[in-house]
Amino acid sequence: MTKAPLAILISGRGSNMAALIDAARSDDCPYEVVLVASNKPEAAGLATARAAGITTFAHSHKGLSREDFDAIIDAELRRAGARYVALAGYMRILSPGFVAGWAGHMVNIHPSLLPLYKGLDTHGRAIAAGDAEGGCSVHLVTAELDDGEVIAQARVPILPGDTAESLADRVLTEEHRLYPEALASYIRRHG
Ligand code: GAR
């Protein structure tokens, strides 16, 4: 089986990135990770990726326009031969031109049951609203923040006494299971 080349964009610790890299080791996984790139040269996930033998690229976005920065990332993704892009804790709003160039080929994981709680502080908002459940969503990336078609979700209960941190931990465990599975099934369907 020819595996689809996947690039992963991160800004931080990269635990979802690590889950995608681990899953890609299996023979029947339809993608291989060809690049991990970051807008934060200090992102901890870069060292994790390098330790796993993955090529990394880091460039700070500071002092650059959104368009100019995204053009730098886009050039690296193309140079690496990526066919799909997975955002994994990539905390940057993307320029419309960049998004258009990867339409149907770029996915994100967001820590809420979309369309609920787009943006930041998803767990704190779910608890404050008195929700019985939280969760995470894998969705296609469009120009609107956290707005593209949802391709998979996982739910967890919100328990009495939960804090944003305890709920985030419970959801993160599900993220690590959901993201590789959802991406693999999307790529199997779309080639
Ligand atoms: C994850 O919980 C992910 O869902 C979230 O950031 C965390 C990154 O953790 N993403 C967003 O909030 C995107 N809007 P990780 O770096 O350990 O994967």
Side-chain angles (χ1 to χ4, degrees), residues 6-59:
L6 172 75
I8 305 174
L9 300 186
I10 64 169
S11 297
R13 83 192 141 178
S15 70
N16 277 291
M17 169 210 78
L20 292 169
I21 290 173
D22 279 352
R25 292 204 175 95
S26 136
D27 284 345
D28 64 352
C29 182
Y31 60 83
E32 62 173 326
V33 182
V34 295
L35 179 72
V36 170
S38 181
N39 64 315
K40 299 259 190 189
E42 69 281 12
L46 290 168
T48 310
R50 280 194 292 270
I54 310 284
T55 302
T56 62
F57 173 80
H59 198 299

Side-chain angles (χ1 to χ4, degrees), residues 10 22 99 162 179:
I10 64 169
D22 279 352
V99 172
D162 257 342
Y179 206 1

